[in-house]
Amino acid sequence: MNTRRTFIKQVGLAAGAALLVPSFAFDKASKNIGLQLFTLRDLLPKDVKGVIEKVAKAGYKEVETYGFNNGKFWNLTTKEFKSLLDANGLKAPSGHYGMDDFSKTGNTDKLKADIESAAALGGKYFTIAGAWVDPKKGIDGFKKTAEDFNKVAEIAKTSGLKFAYHNHDFEFHKIGDTTGYDVYLKETDPKLVNFELDLYWVVRSGNDPLTLFKKYPGRFHMWHVKDMDKAKPEWNTEVGKGSIDFKTIFAEAKLSGMEHFFVEHENNYQPDELGSIITSCNFIKANLV
């Protein structure tokens, strides 16, 4: 039962956590608009060097990687890819990887190779793009995955990286009186496990990012900034053209703990992928940072 003493304690903890968020966090990130490279997944394999040059020319300062496979990013070694980013004034503070093999078998070989790649790129965050959860175990399945997050975060820490988890919408489905996402936030060590909040999927699931910021201040060190088409919510649209109120969300960046954010766009590009990322970048520069 919630008592007045419990309520005061909870409010005090939330306020204390908010005070722990570095005051410079958002200022440091505000000039560095990032792009999740999955946005350009159809273009990169055809001309990785040319596409990266266009990302930089579009106004982006950071990228988030994906697709590390067999020791390479689109046929470039990690060293070669880093040189390409450096040549275009880009940094990769985060990359998307997986941990399903570790969760299912306990084998760390691929996990450690991925972590080494992220560190070699000069990254700060080793980000899991989506985690396997045993569907037969209900809430206990999410608790097991949260336990795995803590373990992987410890491994990443030995390479100088912070761990983060990127959500979709299924984590917000109700299981009794809670959700899988609440389990992740409550069952993980806040000193080890951070979260990359995909704002589109939060809104699409019927939730409010601001509510999450207030409930778990300082836990969301990165965001995916992806807008929702007004007519068809299953579609994306360029940032500023959709239904998500990014101005209100960005105003609470400090409460979130946000240090980096990445534009992501998965479908319904207007007029095309490159034109789309230019439109989003220009809106963010003019209105959000």
Side-chain angles (χ1 to χ4, degrees):
M1 182 176 74
N2 286 331
T3 64
R4 182 174 181 274
R5 179 179 296 177
T6 301
F7 174 76
I8 292 172
K9 182 179 180 181
Q10 290 173 339
V11 171
L13 287 172
L19 290 173
L20 290 175
V21 179
S23 61
F24 59 83
F26 182 57
D27 288 339
K28 186 176 180 181
S30 63
K31 296 179 181 178
N32 296 326
I33 303 173
L35 178 71
Q36 165 51 253
L37 291 176
F38 187 72
T39 302
L40 306 176
R41 61 195 176 278
D42 291 334
L43 302 179
L44 279 163
K46 301 172 185 176
D47 180 16
V48 61
K49 293 182 180 179
V51 170
I52 292 299
E53 289 174 0
K54 290 174 182 176
V55 168
K57 289 179 180 177
Y60 292 88
K61 297 297 182 183
E62 297 182 340
V63 297
E64 184 174 48
T65 64
Y66 81 97
F68 181 68
N69 190 35
N70 294 322
K72 293 186 176 182
F73 292 97
W74 308 288
N75 293 319
L76 295 179
T77 66
T78 301
K79 183 178 180 180
E80 290 170 338
F81 187 63
K82 186 178 187 307
S83 294
L84 176 62
L85 295 179
D86 290 345
N88 287 280
L90 294 168
K91 295 184 181 300
S94 173
H96 273 196
Y97 297 88
M99 53 177 271
D100 288 359
D101 188 46
F102 171 78
S103 293
K104 293 176 182 178
T105 70
N107 187 288
T108 61
D109 291 346
K110 185 178 187 305
L111 186 67
K112 288 181 177 179
D114 289 348
I115 289 171
E116 288 176 8
S117 166
L121 276 178
K124 290 172 57 181
Y125 288 91
F126 180 74
T127 305
I128 298 301
W132 180 79
V133 180
D134 189 336
K136 299 177 182 178
K137 293 185 176 180
I139 206 68
D140 287 337
F142 284 96
K143 288 183 178 180
K144 167 61 168 59
T145 301
E147 182 181 336
D148 289 343
F149 287 170
N150 286 325
K151 293 176 181 177
V152 174
E154 287 280 12
I155 297 172
K157 184 179 178 181
T158 63
S159 294
L161 296 175
K162 299 178 182 180
F163 176 97
Y165 177 71
H166 168 274
N167 66 279
H168 292 86
D169 63 341
F170 76 92
E171 298 95 336
F172 294 96
H173 296 168
K174 279 287 187 180
I175 305 176
D177 60 354
T178 189
T179 68
Y181 203 63
D182 278 321
V183 170
Y184 287 163
L185 282 150
K186 292 175 181 177
E187 297 287 330
T188 53
D189 184 345
K191 295 179 181 178
L192 289 173
V193 175
N194 308 285
F195 291 85
E196 178 177 63
L197 200 66
D198 189 306
L199 300 172
Y200 168 87
W201 284 118
V202 173
V203 175
R204 179 81 186 276
S205 71
N207 288 276
D208 182 358
L210 299 182
T211 300
L212 287 170
F213 298 167
K214 293 171 185 176
K215 188 174 183 180
Y216 303 105
R219 294 298 302 274
F220 309 101
H221 289 201
M222 296 183 291
W223 298 345
H224 271 192
V225 178
K226 179 167 57 183
D227 214 341
M228 183 183 296
D229 187 85
K230 293 178 180 178
K232 295 185 176 182
E234 68 272 21
W235 281 3
N236 299 160
T237 190
E238 288 67 39
V239 178
K241 291 172 61 177
S243 60
I244 297 179
D245 181 6
F246 287 112
K247 289 184 179 180
T248 300
I249 295 171
F250 269 77
E252 297 298 335
K254 182 179 176 182
L255 180 63
S256 164
M258 189 270 277
E259 296 174 357
H260 302 275
F261 67 91
F262 304 95
V263 170
E264 186 182 39
H265 199 132
E266 296 184 354
N267 54 50
N268 188 36
Y269 304 95
Q270 300 295 332
D272 52 33
E273 291 98 321
L274 293 171
S276 174
I277 68 169
I278 290 171
T279 297
S280 291
C281 190
N282 288 343
F283 177 85
I284 292 170
K285 284 181 178 178
N287 297 280
L288 301 179
V289 299

